[in-house]
């Protein structure tokens, strides 16, 4: 902006700024309320959940981890069972975490292998019903 030297220029500059303010003020208010709504806890949670659901890698990792944890628990319960011996409990926890970690890290391979086995079983059953 140039230097203002006369009263007329000052009045003109004030008028321009007032017009600019009249245009920008509603936009600023609208942006404020939009920002305010986006920071509400429920909206932050909704946004986070939408992002989590839309991330394909996250879905896959959650599924692999759930399968791993379930398998680890089943392995511990099957091999160790219910015991009061602290060493057996420790061994069971180590077994559970090891199995869960291996399953979770190799979930895609295990899922594809499971699909192959499942298809073989279905194919075998359909062939045995034909006989």
């Amino acid at each position: 902006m140039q230097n203002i030297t006369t009263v007329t220029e000052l009045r003109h500059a004030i008028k321009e700024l007032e017009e600019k303010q009249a245009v920008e003020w509603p936009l600023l208010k609208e942006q404020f309320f939009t920002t305010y709504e986006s920071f509400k806890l429920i909206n932050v949670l909704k946004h986070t959940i939408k992002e989590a659901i839309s991330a394909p890698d996250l879905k896959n990792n959650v599924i692999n981890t759930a399968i791993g944890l379930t398998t680890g628990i089943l392995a511990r319960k099957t091999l160790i069972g219910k015991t009061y011996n602290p060493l057996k409990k420790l061994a069971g926890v180590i077994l559970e975490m090891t199995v869960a970690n291996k399953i979770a890290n190799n979930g895609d391979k295990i899922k594809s292998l499971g699909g192959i086995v499942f298809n073989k079983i279905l194919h075998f059953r359909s062939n045995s019903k034909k006989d």
Side-chain angles (χ1 to χ4, degrees), residues 20-37:
K20 183 178 178 182
Q21 181 185 18
V23 169
E24 291 180 354
W25 181 248
L27 297 174
L28 180 63
K29 281 175 46 177
E30 182 181 332
Q31 184 60 44
F32 171 78
F33 287 115
T34 303
T35 304
Y36 175 75
E37 285 295 316

Side-chain angles (χ1 to χ4, degrees), residues 5-70:
T5 55
T6 66
V7 174
T8 309
E9 289 177 347
L10 179 60
R11 287 186 182 139
H12 181 66
I14 291 172
K15 185 177 179 182
E16 284 180 4
L17 288 173
E18 287 174 344
E19 289 172 356
K20 183 178 178 182
Q21 181 185 18
V23 169
E24 291 180 354
W25 181 248
L27 297 174
L28 180 63
K29 281 175 46 177
E30 182 181 332
Q31 184 60 44
F32 171 78
F33 287 115
T34 303
T35 304
Y36 175 75
E37 285 295 316
S38 71
F39 280 117
K40 284 185 177 177
L41 181 61
I42 190 72
N43 292 332
V44 170
L45 289 174
K46 282 181 188 178
H47 180 72
T48 304
I49 290 171
K50 281 182 184 177
E51 281 185 3
I53 289 172
S54 66
D57 291 340
L58 182 63
K59 285 182 198 176
N60 198 22
N61 289 341
V62 168
I63 291 170
N64 288 346
T65 303
I67 292 170
L69 288 173
T70 304

Side-chain angles (χ1 to χ4, degrees), residues 119-131:
N119 287 334
K120 294 272 186 187
I121 290 171
L122 287 179
H123 182 70
F124 177 74
R125 284 189 177 179
S126 64
N127 284 343
S128 65
K129 288 182 180 181
K130 289 180 184 177
D131 294 336

